[in-house]
Amino acid sequence: GVERTGCGAASSAMGPFYCPADQSIYIDTRFYDQLDRQLGAGPGDFARYYVVAHEYGHHIQTLTGISDAIRSAQQQNPPRANQLQVLMELQADCYAGVWAGKNRHLIEPGDFEEGMSAASAIGDDTLMRRSGQMANPESFTHGTSQQRMQALRLGLETADDTQCDRIVQIG
């Protein structure tokens, strides 16, 4: 169905998202079935946690001001708008990895692989090819499968949120 959010009307077709206006995460849980069955991320709870942690990463970006800085940079430089959006998404992936890295005691065998599989399955290049399109970097919004896996791995291996700042450099 359609849900009213602080960011306007939202449908399940939008996938999980964070709304900075009401500082809320919206996830239609049917997305997890799609992640498993249609996108090939495989079953497992860690892929679900990764999605939630990624969206929570956007909340961190709102609290720290990086979201506002990105939006401002996008308005000042429209040709770089997608590239800047990708950087923000990759930082959120890194924050998801930091959450996992700081909670290693909760990570089960195979969880890291589940996360990498999910990150790969939802890369823009993979999603475009899966839908029969050629991968077009200029239309990416979240980054390639490789970039998403690298960002998640950076956070997981370092468990240091300041390492995620390296991803987003606005100057």
Side-chain angles (χ1 to χ4, degrees):
V2 175
E3 180 76 22
R4 300 242 175 260
T5 76
C7 296
S11 72
S12 59
M14 294 173 61
F17 72 97
Y18 171 75
C19 173
D22 60 14
Q23 295 188 359
S24 297
I25 295 171
Y26 294 88
I27 300 174
D28 182 332
T29 56
R30 292 176 290 188
F31 173 77
Y32 296 130
D33 295 330
Q34 181 184 15
L35 187 64
D36 176 19
R37 293 190 185 115
Q38 293 175 342
L39 302 178
D45 55 357
F46 189 81
R48 294 174 183 218
Y49 301 147
Y50 159 55
V51 170
V52 173
H54 170 94
E55 297 307 331
Y56 190 74
H58 289 308
H59 180 63
I60 293 167
Q61 291 169 327
T62 297
L63 296 176
T64 61
I66 192 68
S67 293
D68 287 341
I70 292 281
R71 299 287 176 245
S72 177
Q74 287 173 317
Q75 289 173 353
Q76 292 172 10
N77 193 348
R80 285 196 63 217
N82 277 14
Q83 181 185 15
L84 291 166
Q85 182 65 36
V86 167
L87 294 177
M88 192 160 73
E89 296 297 337
L90 294 174
Q91 186 183 46
D93 281 338
C94 183
Y95 285 148
V98 169
W99 164 80
K102 288 183 182 267
N103 291 282
R104 289 186 188 276
H105 63 285
L106 300 173
I107 304 297
E108 299 171 346
D111 279 350
F112 181 71
E113 292 77 12
E114 286 176 23
M116 289 294 111
S117 178
S120 178
I122 56 178
D124 287 324
D125 55 334
T126 300
L127 292 173
M128 286 180 154
R129 284 189 201 105
R130 204 174 277 263
S131 69
Q133 302 172 23
M134 286 187 55
N136 178 4
E138 291 179 13
S139 64
F140 288 176
T141 59
H142 284 71
T144 65
S145 295
Q146 187 66 30
Q147 289 172 318
R148 295 197 79 173
M149 290 187 303
Q150 287 174 339
L152 181 62
R153 182 178 291 116
L154 175 65
L156 182 72
E157 290 177 353
T158 66
D160 179 3
D161 59 286
T162 64
Q163 293 299 307
C164 302
D165 294 340
R166 297 184 333 185
I167 294 172
V168 179
Q169 304 276 327
I170 303 171

